[in-house]
Amino acid sequence: MRHLHGNMKTAGFKGLGYKKALWFAAKTTTVSQFQKAMQDIADLNVRCLEWLQDKPASQWSKSHFSTYCKCDFLLNNLCESFNCILEAREKPILTMLEWIREYVMTRMQQLRDKAERLWEGKKLCPKIKQIVDKNLKKAADCIPVKSDDTHYEIQCFDGARYTVDVKEKTCTCRLWDLTGIPCNHGMSAISAQVLDPDDFVHECYHVDTFCKVYAPPIMPLDGLEMWEKAGYIPPVPPSFGRKRGDLRGQEDWNLTRFERARKLKRKSKKCQGKEEK
């Protein structure tokens, strides 16, 4: 979203109003909310709306995100964790790969130790537990109206209404569906049944799942001097297409380095002779 906003400013749509309107549209979780947000952008500038409509909403607005992956991130901060290899990227290839291997090996072991020692006896990862507690407090602003044992109509103080299915773990605001963590509407229904909210969080956030992810270790290796010596491995020739014209020059790779150099030299002499003529 930060890069999208940067492109928006480059296109000429600058100012705090455009920024707030863009982020509001990005954070909406339902199609109706998204359409209203886009109308607000059109009220600011119709050209800005036309510029945004060229960008698929499924790539930048929560309202069009898939609910399969349980992720509602609008930033690419997750990939920033790979910045740890900046120290290694200037090294020779084998040294770089060895540095990365050792780093990943120790990092995975640190996370295993963290989960086993600090999170022992806990069901949810700590940051997810914080979100659960936060949504549970927000549930005080909601009034659950029971339909049956699994369905509730949630009435909010701002006049909005949403339906919650406790059994299917869904809410029409789509926030529970997107993240796998019960929203404040879902928390209201769960509290009405006097159930444990932790039982309704998706299993991908469980400590047991975290431990399973990092369970397979990267095994240690001996030093370079103990590696098995390999024979001469010729360089891989470049790939060529299936067309007859693309095979031109492939036969040169069957020649020795000196034969190829001689052939190139003869070609350059021919070219020089043609130029002189």
Side-chain angles (χ1 to χ4, degrees):
M1 278 305 300
R2 185 174 64 82
H3 295 291
L4 181 62
H5 178 239
N7 293 340
M8 174 184 277
K9 291 193 294 185
T10 303
F13 308 109
K14 302 178 181 179
L16 187 60
Y18 287 112
K19 180 180 180 180
K20 287 185 176 180
L22 175 66
W23 276 94
F24 182 76
K27 291 180 179 180
T28 57
T29 55
T30 64
V31 176
S32 59
Q33 292 173 349
F34 175 76
Q35 291 173 345
K36 184 180 181 302
M38 294 297 280
Q39 184 58 47
D40 293 340
I41 293 175
D43 294 340
L44 285 174
N45 193 329
V46 177
R47 288 178 52 249
C48 182
L49 175 65
E50 294 173 352
W51 183 85
L52 265 179
Q53 286 176 339
D54 290 337
K55 285 73 180 169
S58 59
Q59 297 179 5
W60 63 273
S61 176
K62 293 182 182 182
S63 60
H64 291 72
F65 283 2
S66 168
T67 58
Y68 175 77
C69 59
K70 306 305 173 189
C71 179
D72 65 338
F73 284 4
L74 293 172
L75 303 170
N76 61 347
N77 290 350
L78 189 64
C79 69
E80 299 289 343
S81 59
F82 290 98
N83 285 344
C84 61
I85 66 172
L86 294 178
E87 181 182 343
R89 66 179 183 179
E90 300 296 337
K91 300 179 184 295
I93 293 177
L94 283 181
T95 308
M96 177 189 68
L97 294 176
E98 275 297 288
W99 190 98
I100 294 174
R101 181 195 63 80
E102 183 179 347
Y103 174 82
V104 176
M105 179 177 67
T106 55
R107 175 64 176 164
M108 292 181 70
Q109 181 55 41
Q110 289 171 0
L111 293 172
R112 279 194 293 270
D113 292 340
K114 182 179 180 180
E116 292 172 1
R117 296 174 185 175
L118 301 180
W119 301 351
E120 185 178 2
K122 296 181 179 179
K123 184 173 184 177
L124 302 179
C125 297
K127 290 187 177 180
I128 305 303
K129 182 62 176 176
Q130 292 176 7
I131 298 174
V132 169
D133 294 340
K134 182 180 177 181
N135 290 345
L136 191 57
K137 290 180 180 180
K138 289 182 178 179
D141 297 333
C142 305
I143 301 174
V145 180
K146 189 174 182 180
S147 174
D148 56 24
D149 289 340
T150 59
H151 296 88
Y152 281 81
E153 178 184 299
I154 308 300
Q155 300 175 359
C156 304
F157 286 148
D158 60 359
R161 291 188 183 185
Y162 301 95
T163 59
V164 170
D165 188 333
V166 177
K167 183 179 179 181
E168 296 296 328
K169 301 178 182 179
T170 61
C171 176
T172 50
C173 78
R174 292 186 74 247
L175 192 58
W176 191 353
D177 308 58
L178 284 169
T179 62
I181 304 172
C183 57
N184 57 328
H185 315 118
M187 288 296 183
S188 179
I190 293 169
S191 300
Q193 292 194 355
V194 197
L195 300 173
D196 186 1
D198 293 356
D199 295 337
F200 293 87
V201 178
H202 195 276
E203 62 180 6
C204 67
Y205 300 116
H206 292 185
V207 174
D208 292 341
T209 305
F210 184 94
C211 293
K212 290 177 183 178
V213 169
Y214 293 100
I218 294 180
M219 302 306 294
L221 292 178
D222 294 323
L224 183 63
E225 68 280 357
M226 298 185 66
W227 290 6
E228 182 180 351
K229 305 299 180 184
Y232 171 72
I233 301 175
V236 179
S239 59
F240 295 90
R242 296 181 178 180
K243 295 181 180 179
R244 184 175 182 181
D246 293 339
L247 297 175
R248 185 171 41 193
Q250 186 175 5
E251 64 277 0
D252 290 351
W253 290 95
N254 297 325
L255 305 176
T256 64
R257 180 163 58 106
F258 300 103
E259 289 173 339
R260 288 200 299 270
R262 250 188 251 114
K263 189 172 181 180
L264 290 172
K265 192 173 182 181
R266 287 197 298 268
K267 286 183 178 179
S268 62
K269 286 183 178 179
K270 288 180 180 180
C271 293
Q272 290 177 0
K274 289 180 180 179
E275 290 177 359
E276 290 175 359
K277 289 181 180 180

